[in-house]
Amino acid sequence: MLYFWPKQQVFDFYQQAAESDVDHVYLGETVCSKRRELKLDYYLAIAHMLREAGKKVTLSTMTLLEAPAELRELGKYCDNGEFDVEANDVSAINLLQEQGLNFTAGPAINIYNHQSLRRLIDMGMTRWVVPFELSRDWLQDVLQHNLIDTVRDSFDVEVFSFGHIPLAWSGRCFTARSENRPKDQCELCCIKYPEGREVKSQEGQQVFVLNGIQTQSGTRYNLINQLPGMNGLVDIVRISPQPEGTFDWLQRFRNNINGEHPVTLTSKENNGYWLQLAGLATG
């Protein structure tokens, strides 16, 4: 969940997830440590509820660590003792490897070639979330390399397939700045924007979404029509939670796994990166 939602909305969403036919749920704050509506204990309680509902659960770590307190919190996630961890920063990988724990490499980990991928596999990576901006052709080339093909059975491949793409993280909070607030006095203003804050060009085109310290794509990434081409290549597709309609889209994705029910994309959606086109393009 990339956006900052009130506690009750978060609980309600994950209750829906427990009752849905989603296979796998990621929990945790990955964007900003100041978003403290839910602490680790709450996430662990939700994790137990989801596991009892038959879901596989992974705890996700922060992407950009800026203070010693955040590193200590990271240690608690890695030491949880029950659930797998998605490492979104190399320091998390280091902590997990020291404990001999397997891990998921999140999409913010810069893996762009077979050597880097094999290195992480040897360090204990059992699931790889492909970096957001990379294409199907690139993925296929990497997985077919001898260095990877020989160990392909040891890890899953996951692709971010629905939602505004996280493009960058910064030490500055752009949502606070857009309200003329300093970062250390932000008053958690991003909670007012459950889908992030739109940024438009002078021509009126939505080019970005501000989500605290995270900058996202202006249009929504949607690979629903690319699912047939993922068969045999991708094991898991990720749907990024939206304030409304997430589970409707989950069902649409399930219905189109083999291309039986394609969806016409709107002007507010894109799939360019996957098709080796410009990021805003739709192919």
mmCIF file with all atom_site columns, all heavy atoms in Angstrom, residues 111-121 128 138 141-148:
data_model
loop_
_atom_site.group_PDB
_atom_site.id
_atom_site.type_symbol
_atom_site.label_atom_id
_atom_site.label_alt_id
_atom_site.label_comp_id
_atom_site.label_asym_id
_atom_site.label_entity_id
_atom_site.label_seq_id
_atom_site.pdbx_PDB_ins_code
_atom_site.Cartn_x
_atom_site.Cartn_y
_atom_site.Cartn_z
_atom_site.occupancy
_atom_site.B_iso_or_equiv
_atom_site.pdbx_formal_charge
_atom_site.auth_seq_id
_atom_site.auth_comp_id
_atom_site.auth_asym_id
_atom_site.auth_atom_id
_atom_site.pdbx_PDB_model_num
ATOM 1   N N   . ILE A 1 111 ? 18.480 -4.102  -10.087 1.00 0.00 ? 111 ILE A N   1
ATOM 2   C CA  . ILE A 1 111 ? 19.026 -5.307  -10.708 1.00 0.00 ? 111 ILE A CA  1
ATOM 3   C C   . ILE A 1 111 ? 18.781 -5.193  -12.203 1.00 0.00 ? 111 ILE A C   1
ATOM 4   O O   . ILE A 1 111 ? 17.645 -5.303  -12.666 1.00 0.00 ? 111 ILE A O   1
ATOM 5   C CB  . ILE A 1 111 ? 18.341 -6.580  -10.164 1.00 0.00 ? 111 ILE A CB  1
ATOM 6   C CG1 . ILE A 1 111 ? 18.459 -6.637  -8.641  1.00 0.00 ? 111 ILE A CG1 1
ATOM 7   C CG2 . ILE A 1 111 ? 18.958 -7.827  -10.789 1.00 0.00 ? 111 ILE A CG2 1
ATOM 8   C CD1 . ILE A 1 111 ? 17.692 -7.786  -8.023  1.00 0.00 ? 111 ILE A CD1 1
ATOM 9   N N   . TYR A 1 112 ? 19.832 -4.970  -12.956 1.00 0.00 ? 112 TYR A N   1
ATOM 10  C CA  . TYR A 1 112 ? 19.684 -4.713  -14.385 1.00 0.00 ? 112 TYR A CA  1
ATOM 11  C C   . TYR A 1 112 ? 20.411 -5.716  -15.270 1.00 0.00 ? 112 TYR A C   1
ATOM 12  O O   . TYR A 1 112 ? 20.417 -5.571  -16.486 1.00 0.00 ? 112 TYR A O   1
ATOM 13  C CB  . TYR A 1 112 ? 20.177 -3.296  -14.722 1.00 0.00 ? 112 TYR A CB  1
ATOM 14  C CG  . TYR A 1 112 ? 19.373 -2.201  -14.065 1.00 0.00 ? 112 TYR A CG  1
ATOM 15  C CD1 . TYR A 1 112 ? 20.007 -1.145  -13.407 1.00 0.00 ? 112 TYR A CD1 1
ATOM 16  C CD2 . TYR A 1 112 ? 17.985 -2.222  -14.095 1.00 0.00 ? 112 TYR A CD2 1
ATOM 17  C CE1 . TYR A 1 112 ? 19.278 -0.134  -12.815 1.00 0.00 ? 112 TYR A CE1 1
ATOM 18  C CE2 . TYR A 1 112 ? 17.244 -1.222  -13.505 1.00 0.00 ? 112 TYR A CE2 1
ATOM 19  C CZ  . TYR A 1 112 ? 17.892 -0.173  -12.867 1.00 0.00 ? 112 TYR A CZ  1
ATOM 20  O OH  . TYR A 1 112 ? 17.153 0.827   -12.269 1.00 0.00 ? 112 TYR A OH  1
ATOM 21  N N   . ASN A 1 113 ? 21.056 -6.722  -14.678 1.00 0.00 ? 113 ASN A N   1
ATOM 22  C CA  . ASN A 1 113 ? 21.770 -7.689  -15.509 1.00 0.00 ? 113 ASN A CA  1
ATOM 23  C C   . ASN A 1 113 ? 21.836 -9.030  -14.787 1.00 0.00 ? 113 ASN A C   1
ATOM 24  O O   . ASN A 1 113 ? 21.505 -9.143  -13.605 1.00 0.00 ? 113 ASN A O   1
ATOM 25  C CB  . ASN A 1 113 ? 23.190 -7.187  -15.847 1.00 0.00 ? 113 ASN A CB  1
ATOM 26  C CG  . ASN A 1 113 ? 23.985 -6.849  -14.599 1.00 0.00 ? 113 ASN A CG  1
ATOM 27  O OD1 . ASN A 1 113 ? 24.228 -7.702  -13.760 1.00 0.00 ? 113 ASN A OD1 1
ATOM 28  N ND2 . ASN A 1 113 ? 24.376 -5.583  -14.469 1.00 0.00 ? 113 ASN A ND2 1
ATOM 29  N N   . HIS A 1 114 ? 22.258 -10.044 -15.524 1.00 0.00 ? 114 HIS A N   1
ATOM 30  C CA  . HIS A 1 114 ? 22.252 -11.397 -14.973 1.00 0.00 ? 114 HIS A CA  1
ATOM 31  C C   . HIS A 1 114 ? 23.265 -11.573 -13.847 1.00 0.00 ? 114 HIS A C   1
ATOM 32  O O   . HIS A 1 114 ? 23.048 -12.369 -12.934 1.00 0.00 ? 114 HIS A O   1
ATOM 33  C CB  . HIS A 1 114 ? 22.515 -12.416 -16.091 1.00 0.00 ? 114 HIS A CB  1
ATOM 34  C CG  . HIS A 1 114 ? 23.773 -12.180 -16.850 1.00 0.00 ? 114 HIS A CG  1
ATOM 35  N ND1 . HIS A 1 114 ? 23.848 -11.299 -17.913 1.00 0.00 ? 114 HIS A ND1 1
ATOM 36  C CD2 . HIS A 1 114 ? 25.021 -12.711 -16.703 1.00 0.00 ? 114 HIS A CD2 1
ATOM 37  C CE1 . HIS A 1 114 ? 25.091 -11.305 -18.376 1.00 0.00 ? 114 HIS A CE1 1
ATOM 38  N NE2 . HIS A 1 114 ? 25.809 -12.144 -17.666 1.00 0.00 ? 114 HIS A NE2 1
ATOM 39  N N   . GLN A 1 115 ? 24.387 -10.825 -13.885 1.00 0.00 ? 115 GLN A N   1
ATOM 40  C CA  . GLN A 1 115 ? 25.377 -10.970 -12.814 1.00 0.00 ? 115 GLN A CA  1
ATOM 41  C C   . GLN A 1 115 ? 24.811 -10.498 -11.471 1.00 0.00 ? 115 GLN A C   1
ATOM 42  O O   . GLN A 1 115 ? 24.964 -11.167 -10.445 1.00 0.00 ? 115 GLN A O   1
ATOM 43  C CB  . GLN A 1 115 ? 26.653 -10.182 -13.142 1.00 0.00 ? 115 GLN A CB  1
ATOM 44  C CG  . GLN A 1 115 ? 27.429 -10.734 -14.320 1.00 0.00 ? 115 GLN A CG  1
ATOM 45  C CD  . GLN A 1 115 ? 27.155 -9.943  -15.591 1.00 0.00 ? 115 GLN A CD  1
ATOM 46  O OE1 . GLN A 1 115 ? 26.068 -9.381  -15.757 1.00 0.00 ? 115 GLN A OE1 1
ATOM 47  N NE2 . GLN A 1 115 ? 28.131 -9.902  -16.487 1.00 0.00 ? 115 GLN A NE2 1
ATOM 48  N N   . SER A 1 116 ? 24.144 -9.338  -11.480 1.00 0.00 ? 116 SER A N   1
ATOM 49  C CA  . SER A 1 116 ? 23.552 -8.825  -10.247 1.00 0.00 ? 116 SER A CA  1
ATOM 50  C C   . SER A 1 116 ? 22.453 -9.757  -9.742  1.00 0.00 ? 116 SER A C   1
ATOM 51  O O   . SER A 1 116 ? 22.343 -10.014 -8.539  1.00 0.00 ? 116 SER A O   1
ATOM 52  C CB  . SER A 1 116 ? 22.967 -7.427  -10.486 1.00 0.00 ? 116 SER A CB  1
ATOM 53  O OG  . SER A 1 116 ? 23.969 -6.523  -10.862 1.00 0.00 ? 116 SER A OG  1
ATOM 54  N N   . LEU A 1 117 ? 21.652 -10.257 -10.673 1.00 0.00 ? 117 LEU A N   1
ATOM 55  C CA  . LEU A 1 117 ? 20.570 -11.148 -10.289 1.00 0.00 ? 117 LEU A CA  1
ATOM 56  C C   . LEU A 1 117 ? 21.123 -12.431 -9.660  1.00 0.00 ? 117 LEU A C   1
ATOM 57  O O   . LEU A 1 117 ? 20.641 -12.877 -8.610  1.00 0.00 ? 117 LEU A O   1
ATOM 58  C CB  . LEU A 1 117 ? 19.711 -11.470 -11.507 1.00 0.00 ? 117 LEU A CB  1
ATOM 59  C CG  . LEU A 1 117 ? 18.502 -12.380 -11.270 1.00 0.00 ? 117 LEU A CG  1
ATOM 60  C CD1 . LEU A 1 117 ? 17.560 -11.770 -10.240 1.00 0.00 ? 117 LEU A CD1 1
ATOM 61  C CD2 . LEU A 1 117 ? 17.759 -12.632 -12.581 1.00 0.00 ? 117 LEU A CD2 1
ATOM 62  N N   . ARG A 1 118 ? 22.127 -13.013 -10.269 1.00 0.00 ? 118 ARG A N   1
ATOM 63  C CA  . ARG A 1 118 ? 22.711 -14.241 -9.727  1.00 0.00 ? 118 ARG A CA  1
ATOM 64  C C   . ARG A 1 118 ? 23.348 -13.987 -8.361  1.00 0.00 ? 118 ARG A C   1
ATOM 65  O O   . ARG A 1 118 ? 23.261 -14.842 -7.459  1.00 0.00 ? 118 ARG A O   1
ATOM 66  C CB  . ARG A 1 118 ? 23.740 -14.803 -10.695 1.00 0.00 ? 118 ARG A CB  1
ATOM 67  C CG  . ARG A 1 118 ? 24.401 -16.101 -10.212 1.00 0.00 ? 118 ARG A CG  1
ATOM 68  C CD  . ARG A 1 118 ? 23.357 -17.199 -9.926  1.00 0.00 ? 118 ARG A CD  1
ATOM 69  N NE  . ARG A 1 118 ? 23.946 -18.365 -9.296  1.00 0.00 ? 118 ARG A NE  1
ATOM 70  C CZ  . ARG A 1 118 ? 24.295 -19.476 -9.958  1.00 0.00 ? 118 ARG A CZ  1
ATOM 71  N NH1 . ARG A 1 118 ? 24.112 -19.553 -11.283 1.00 0.00 ? 118 ARG A NH1 1
ATOM 72  N NH2 . ARG A 1 118 ? 24.819 -20.491 -9.322  1.00 0.00 ? 118 ARG A NH2 1
ATOM 73  N N   . ARG A 1 119 ? 23.945 -12.825 -8.183  1.00 0.00 ? 119 ARG A N   1
ATOM 74  C CA  . ARG A 1 119 ? 24.545 -12.491 -6.891  1.00 0.00 ? 119 ARG A CA  1
ATOM 75  C C   . ARG A 1 119 ? 23.491 -12.523 -5.786  1.00 0.00 ? 119 ARG A C   1
ATOM 76  O O   . ARG A 1 119 ? 23.708 -13.098 -4.713  1.00 0.00 ? 119 ARG A O   1
ATOM 77  C CB  . ARG A 1 119 ? 25.206 -11.115 -6.971  1.00 0.00 ? 119 ARG A CB  1
ATOM 78  C CG  . ARG A 1 119 ? 25.729 -10.577 -5.651  1.00 0.00 ? 119 ARG A CG  1
ATOM 79  C CD  . ARG A 1 119 ? 26.830 -11.414 -5.076  1.00 0.00 ? 119 ARG A CD  1
ATOM 80  N NE  . ARG A 1 119 ? 27.420 -10.789 -3.913  1.00 0.00 ? 119 ARG A NE  1
ATOM 81  C CZ  . ARG A 1 119 ? 28.066 -11.449 -2.963  1.00 0.00 ? 119 ARG A CZ  1
ATOM 82  N NH1 . ARG A 1 119 ? 28.219 -12.763 -3.062  1.00 0.00 ? 119 ARG A NH1 1
ATOM 83  N NH2 . ARG A 1 119 ? 28.574 -10.812 -1.931  1.00 0.00 ? 119 ARG A NH2 1
ATOM 84  N N   . LEU A 1 120 ? 22.325 -11.941 -6.043  1.00 0.00 ? 120 LEU A N   1
ATOM 85  C CA  . LEU A 1 120 ? 21.281 -11.912 -5.025  1.00 0.00 ? 120 LEU A CA  1
ATOM 86  C C   . LEU A 1 120 ? 20.674 -13.302 -4.803  1.00 0.00 ? 120 LEU A C   1
ATOM 87  O O   . LEU A 1 120 ? 20.303 -13.651 -3.682  1.00 0.00 ? 120 LEU A O   1
ATOM 88  C CB  . LEU A 1 120 ? 20.199 -10.912 -5.404  1.00 0.00 ? 120 LEU A CB  1
ATOM 89  C CG  . LEU A 1 120 ? 20.598 -9.445  -5.292  1.00 0.00 ? 120 LEU A CG  1
ATOM 90  C CD1 . LEU A 1 120 ? 19.384 -8.551  -5.490  1.00 0.00 ? 120 LEU A CD1 1
ATOM 91  C CD2 . LEU A 1 120 ? 21.236 -9.129  -3.942  1.00 0.00 ? 120 LEU A CD2 1
ATOM 92  N N   . ILE A 1 121 ? 20.569 -14.082 -5.871  1.00 0.00 ? 121 ILE A N   1
ATOM 93  C CA  . ILE A 1 121 ? 20.092 -15.466 -5.713  1.00 0.00 ? 121 ILE A CA  1
ATOM 94  C C   . ILE A 1 121 ? 21.018 -16.219 -4.771  1.00 0.00 ? 121 ILE A C   1
ATOM 95  O O   . ILE A 1 121 ? 20.582 -16.929 -3.861  1.00 0.00 ? 121 ILE A O   1
ATOM 96  C CB  . ILE A 1 121 ? 20.012 -16.166 -7.079  1.00 0.00 ? 121 ILE A CB  1
ATOM 97  C CG1 . ILE A 1 121 ? 18.925 -15.515 -7.946  1.00 0.00 ? 121 ILE A CG1 1
ATOM 98  C CG2 . ILE A 1 121 ? 19.730 -17.655 -6.911  1.00 0.00 ? 121 ILE A CG2 1
ATOM 99  C CD1 . ILE A 1 121 ? 18.969 -15.949 -9.401  1.00 0.00 ? 121 ILE A CD1 1
ATOM 100 N N   . TRP A 1 128 ? 11.957 -12.280 -6.915  1.00 0.00 ? 128 TRP A N   1
ATOM 101 C CA  . TRP A 1 128 ? 12.514 -11.066 -7.502  1.00 0.00 ? 128 TRP A CA  1
ATOM 102 C C   . TRP A 1 128 ? 11.399 -10.252 -8.119  1.00 0.00 ? 128 TRP A C   1
ATOM 103 O O   . TRP A 1 128 ? 10.702 -10.721 -9.021  1.00 0.00 ? 128 TRP A O   1
ATOM 104 C CB  . TRP A 1 128 ? 13.554 -11.442 -8.569  1.00 0.00 ? 128 TRP A CB  1
ATOM 105 C CG  . TRP A 1 128 ? 14.081 -10.288 -9.355  1.00 0.00 ? 128 TRP A CG  1
ATOM 106 C CD1 . TRP A 1 128 ? 14.385 -9.043  -8.894  1.00 0.00 ? 128 TRP A CD1 1
ATOM 107 C CD2 . TRP A 1 128 ? 14.369 -10.271 -10.750 1.00 0.00 ? 128 TRP A CD2 1
ATOM 108 N NE1 . TRP A 1 128 ? 14.856 -8.257  -9.908  1.00 0.00 ? 128 TRP A NE1 1
ATOM 109 C CE2 . TRP A 1 128 ? 14.854 -8.986  -11.062 1.00 0.00 ? 128 TRP A CE2 1
ATOM 110 C CE3 . TRP A 1 128 ? 14.277 -11.229 -11.764 1.00 0.00 ? 128 TRP A CE3 1
ATOM 111 C CZ2 . TRP A 1 128 ? 15.234 -8.633  -12.356 1.00 0.00 ? 128 TRP A CZ2 1
ATOM 112 C CZ3 . TRP A 1 128 ? 14.649 -10.882 -13.046 1.00 0.00 ? 128 TRP A CZ3 1
ATOM 113 C CH2 . TRP A 1 128 ? 15.126 -9.589  -13.339 1.00 0.00 ? 128 TRP A CH2 1
ATOM 114 N N   . TRP A 1 138 ? 13.556 -7.430  -22.165 1.00 0.00 ? 138 TRP A N   1
ATOM 115 C CA  . TRP A 1 138 ? 14.735 -7.376  -21.303 1.00 0.00 ? 138 TRP A CA  1
ATOM 116 C C   . TRP A 1 138 ? 14.684 -8.508  -20.281 1.00 0.00 ? 138 TRP A C   1
ATOM 117 O O   . TRP A 1 138 ? 15.684 -9.192  -20.044 1.00 0.00 ? 138 TRP A O   1
ATOM 118 C CB  . TRP A 1 138 ? 14.789 -6.018  -20.608 1.00 0.00 ? 138 TRP A CB  1
ATOM 119 C CG  . TRP A 1 138 ? 15.935 -5.890  -19.650 1.00 0.00 ? 138 TRP A CG  1
ATOM 120 C CD1 . TRP A 1 138 ? 17.178 -5.395  -19.907 1.00 0.00 ? 138 TRP A CD1 1
ATOM 121 C CD2 . TRP A 1 138 ? 15.936 -6.287  -18.282 1.00 0.00 ? 138 TRP A CD2 1
ATOM 122 N NE1 . TRP A 1 138 ? 17.954 -5.458  -18.772 1.00 0.00 ? 138 TRP A NE1 1
ATOM 123 C CE2 . TRP A 1 138 ? 17.220 -5.998  -17.775 1.00 0.00 ? 138 TRP A CE2 1
ATOM 124 C CE3 . TRP A 1 138 ? 14.984 -6.853  -17.444 1.00 0.00 ? 138 TRP A CE3 1
ATOM 125 C CZ2 . TRP A 1 138 ? 17.555 -6.268  -16.449 1.00 0.00 ? 138 TRP A CZ2 1
ATOM 126 C CZ3 . TRP A 1 138 ? 15.321 -7.128  -16.125 1.00 0.00 ? 138 TRP A CZ3 1
ATOM 127 C CH2 . TRP A 1 138 ? 16.599 -6.824  -15.647 1.00 0.00 ? 138 TRP A CH2 1
ATOM 128 N N   . ASP A 1 141 ? 15.500 -11.871 -21.855 1.00 0.00 ? 141 ASP A N   1
ATOM 129 C CA  . ASP A 1 141 ? 16.933 -12.011 -22.140 1.00 0.00 ? 141 ASP A CA  1
ATOM 130 C C   . ASP A 1 141 ? 17.718 -12.370 -20.877 1.00 0.00 ? 141 ASP A C   1
ATOM 131 O O   . ASP A 1 141 ? 18.608 -13.235 -20.914 1.00 0.00 ? 141 ASP A O   1
ATOM 132 C CB  . ASP A 1 141 ? 17.483 -10.712 -22.736 1.00 0.00 ? 141 ASP A CB  1
ATOM 133 C CG  . ASP A 1 141 ? 17.027 -10.501 -24.173 1.00 0.00 ? 141 ASP A CG  1
ATOM 134 O OD1 . ASP A 1 141 ? 16.535 -11.460 -24.792 1.00 0.00 ? 141 ASP A OD1 1
ATOM 135 O OD2 . ASP A 1 141 ? 17.149 -9.360  -24.664 1.00 0.00 ? 141 ASP A OD2 1
ATOM 136 N N   . VAL A 1 142 ? 17.404 -11.717 -19.771 1.00 0.00 ? 142 VAL A N   1
ATOM 137 C CA  . VAL A 1 142 ? 18.127 -11.981 -18.527 1.00 0.00 ? 142 VAL A CA  1
ATOM 138 C C   . VAL A 1 142 ? 17.858 -13.401 -18.034 1.00 0.00 ? 142 VAL A C   1
ATOM 139 O O   . VAL A 1 142 ? 18.776 -14.130 -17.648 1.00 0.00 ? 142 VAL A O   1
ATOM 140 C CB  . VAL A 1 142 ? 17.730 -10.951 -17.444 1.00 0.00 ? 142 VAL A CB  1
ATOM 141 C CG1 . VAL A 1 142 ? 18.264 -11.378 -16.081 1.00 0.00 ? 142 VAL A CG1 1
ATOM 142 C CG2 . VAL A 1 142 ? 18.274 -9.577  -17.804 1.00 0.00 ? 142 VAL A CG2 1
ATOM 143 N N   . LEU A 1 143 ? 16.590 -13.824 -18.083 1.00 0.00 ? 143 LEU A N   1
ATOM 144 C CA  . LEU A 1 143 ? 16.243 -15.142 -17.557 1.00 0.00 ? 143 LEU A CA  1
ATOM 145 C C   . LEU A 1 143 ? 16.784 -16.280 -18.414 1.00 0.00 ? 143 LEU A C   1
ATOM 146 O O   . LEU A 1 143 ? 16.986 -17.393 -17.926 1.00 0.00 ? 143 LEU A O   1
ATOM 147 C CB  . LEU A 1 143 ? 14.725 -15.276 -17.420 1.00 0.00 ? 143 LEU A CB  1
ATOM 148 C CG  . LEU A 1 143 ? 14.060 -14.353 -16.399 1.00 0.00 ? 143 LEU A CG  1
ATOM 149 C CD1 . LEU A 1 143 ? 12.556 -14.602 -16.359 1.00 0.00 ? 143 LEU A CD1 1
ATOM 150 C CD2 . LEU A 1 143 ? 14.663 -14.536 -15.005 1.00 0.00 ? 143 LEU A CD2 1
ATOM 151 N N   . GLN A 1 144 ? 17.029 -15.996 -19.698 1.00 0.00 ? 144 GLN A N   1
ATOM 152 C CA  . GLN A 1 144 ? 17.552 -17.037 -20.586 1.00 0.00 ? 144 GLN A CA  1
ATOM 153 C C   . GLN A 1 144 ? 19.064 -17.186 -20.502 1.00 0.00 ? 144 GLN A C   1
ATOM 154 O O   . GLN A 1 144 ? 19.620 -18.139 -21.057 1.00 0.00 ? 144 GLN A O   1
ATOM 155 C CB  . GLN A 1 144 ? 17.145 -16.732 -22.033 1.00 0.00 ? 144 GLN A CB  1
ATOM 156 C CG  . GLN A 1 144 ? 15.668 -16.962 -22.315 1.00 0.00 ? 144 GLN A CG  1
ATOM 157 C CD  . GLN A 1 144 ? 15.281 -16.602 -23.744 1.00 0.00 ? 144 GLN A CD  1
ATOM 158 O OE1 . GLN A 1 144 ? 16.010 -15.899 -24.443 1.00 0.00 ? 144 GLN A OE1 1
ATOM 159 N NE2 . GLN A 1 144 ? 14.111 -17.077 -24.169 1.00 0.00 ? 144 GLN A NE2 1
ATOM 160 N N   . HIS A 1 145 ? 19.726 -16.265 -19.810 1.00 0.00 ? 145 HIS A N   1
ATOM 161 C CA  . HIS A 1 145 ? 21.177 -16.361 -19.688 1.00 0.00 ? 145 HIS A CA  1
ATOM 162 C C   . HIS A 1 145 ? 21.541 -17.613 -18.894 1.00 0.00 ? 145 HIS A C   1
ATOM 163 O O   . HIS A 1 145 ? 20.872 -17.981 -17.920 1.00 0.00 ? 145 HIS A O   1
ATOM 164 C CB  . HIS A 1 145 ? 21.730 -15.123 -18.982 1.00 0.00 ? 145 HIS A CB  1
ATOM 165 C CG  . HIS A 1 145 ? 23.199 -14.970 -19.124 1.00 0.00 ? 145 HIS A CG  1
ATOM 166 N ND1 . HIS A 1 145 ? 24.098 -15.682 -18.343 1.00 0.00 ? 145 HIS A ND1 1
ATOM 167 C CD2 . HIS A 1 145 ? 23.947 -14.213 -19.967 1.00 0.00 ? 145 HIS A CD2 1
ATOM 168 C CE1 . HIS A 1 145 ? 25.327 -15.355 -18.687 1.00 0.00 ? 145 HIS A CE1 1
ATOM 169 N NE2 . HIS A 1 145 ? 25.269 -14.455 -19.670 1.00 0.00 ? 145 HIS A NE2 1
ATOM 170 N N   . ASN A 1 146 ? 22.614 -18.284 -19.293 1.00 0.00 ? 146 ASN A N   1
ATOM 171 C CA  . ASN A 1 146 ? 23.006 -19.543 -18.650 1.00 0.00 ? 146 ASN A CA  1
ATOM 172 C C   . ASN A 1 146 ? 23.198 -19.400 -17.153 1.00 0.00 ? 146 ASN A C   1
ATOM 173 O O   . ASN A 1 146 ? 22.894 -20.318 -16.378 1.00 0.00 ? 146 ASN A O   1
ATOM 174 C CB  . ASN A 1 146 ? 24.296 -20.076 -19.280 1.00 0.00 ? 146 ASN A CB  1
ATOM 175 C CG  . ASN A 1 146 ? 24.085 -20.610 -20.688 1.00 0.00 ? 146 ASN A CG  1
ATOM 176 O OD1 . ASN A 1 146 ? 22.974 -20.954 -21.057 1.00 0.00 ? 146 ASN A OD1 1
ATOM 177 N ND2 . ASN A 1 146 ? 25.153 -20.663 -21.469 1.00 0.00 ? 146 ASN A ND2 1
ATOM 178 N N   . LEU A 1 147 ? 23.686 -18.242 -16.729 1.00 0.00 ? 147 LEU A N   1
ATOM 179 C CA  . LEU A 1 147 ? 23.949 -18.019 -15.308 1.00 0.00 ? 147 LEU A CA  1
ATOM 180 C C   . LEU A 1 147 ? 22.657 -18.050 -14.494 1.00 0.00 ? 147 LEU A C   1
ATOM 181 O O   . LEU A 1 147 ? 22.670 -18.404 -13.308 1.00 0.00 ? 147 LEU A O   1
ATOM 182 C CB  . LEU A 1 147 ? 24.660 -16.671 -15.122 1.00 0.00 ? 147 LEU A CB  1
ATOM 183 C CG  . LEU A 1 147 ? 25.421 -16.431 -13.822 1.00 0.00 ? 147 LEU A CG  1
ATOM 184 C CD1 . LEU A 1 147 ? 26.552 -17.427 -13.663 1.00 0.00 ? 147 LEU A CD1 1
ATOM 185 C CD2 . LEU A 1 147 ? 25.957 -15.002 -13.785 1.00 0.00 ? 147 LEU A CD2 1
ATOM 186 N N   . ILE A 1 148 ? 21.529 -17.704 -15.134 1.00 0.00 ? 148 ILE A N   1
ATOM 187 C CA  . ILE A 1 148 ? 20.228 -17.657 -14.458 1.00 0.00 ? 148 ILE A CA  1
ATOM 188 C C   . ILE A 1 148 ? 19.388 -18.883 -14.776 1.00 0.00 ? 148 ILE A C   1
ATOM 189 O O   . ILE A 1 148 ? 18.700 -19.438 -13.905 1.00 0.00 ? 148 ILE A O   1
ATOM 190 C CB  . ILE A 1 148 ? 19.462 -16.377 -14.850 1.00 0.00 ? 148 ILE A CB  1
ATOM 191 C CG1 . ILE A 1 148 ? 20.302 -15.126 -14.553 1.00 0.00 ? 148 ILE A CG1 1
ATOM 192 C CG2 . ILE A 1 148 ? 18.125 -16.320 -14.135 1.00 0.00 ? 148 ILE A CG2 1
ATOM 193 C CD1 . ILE A 1 148 ? 20.735 -15.001 -13.105 1.00 0.00 ? 148 ILE A CD1 1
#
